Amino acid sequence: MDDLVWETTGTEIDYRCPGFDVRRDDVRFPDGTDGEFHYVEEPPAVVVLPFTPAGDVVVIDEWRQAVGRLNRGLPAGTVEPDDADDLERAAARELGEETGYVADAFEHLISVEPANGLLDAVHHHFVATGCEPTADRNLDHNESIAVDVVPYDQLLAEVVDGERPDGRTVTAVTQYELTRR
């Protein structure tokens, strides 16, 4: 398989903004020709599938500018440098900040590269159980979020029917359904 590997001969950040960078790599392709490859560098993120003691799921409705619509999905956010060694702490922080809920326990569900042809991001999905509304929300300045609680089977049906196209939510719900339920 070595005949498929690209060699990186140089690299630079072409654009920086809050949340991500656009990197340009100078590459040598397996046939010996040279070219460029641009991609988005994004810090790791956590995604939380939070269950209440009754088995319902805490979901969020959030404006997503890139697609120009309200999105119903799961709490998620960037792993901060202080959380890099403790992804459960990052998941708990994001759950509390976005929803005001605190969980009794977290279990790692799966880690995925959601679009590794375009970005280097890794999303770490967790199941949170025993979630109760006891924390203070602390939204970022650019977050517009409403919190709701729905039956798990309703969220599952919406994912299966394509009514919830958010990739993080689809990944978490289908992985949970296939491996935990």
Side-chain angles (χ1 to χ4, degrees), residues 32-52:
T33 60
D34 293 326
E36 293 181 345
F37 184 80
H38 289 81
Y39 60 96
V40 174
E41 282 188 332
E42 183 181 60
V46 290
V47 181
V48 183
L49 177 58
F51 286 95
T52 67

Side-chain angles (χ1 to χ4, degrees), residues 1-14:
M1 297 299 245
D2 287 343
D3 59 341
L4 301 177
V5 176
W6 297 5
E7 177 188 356
T8 303
T9 59
T11 189
E12 277 188 40
I13 301 292
D14 277 352

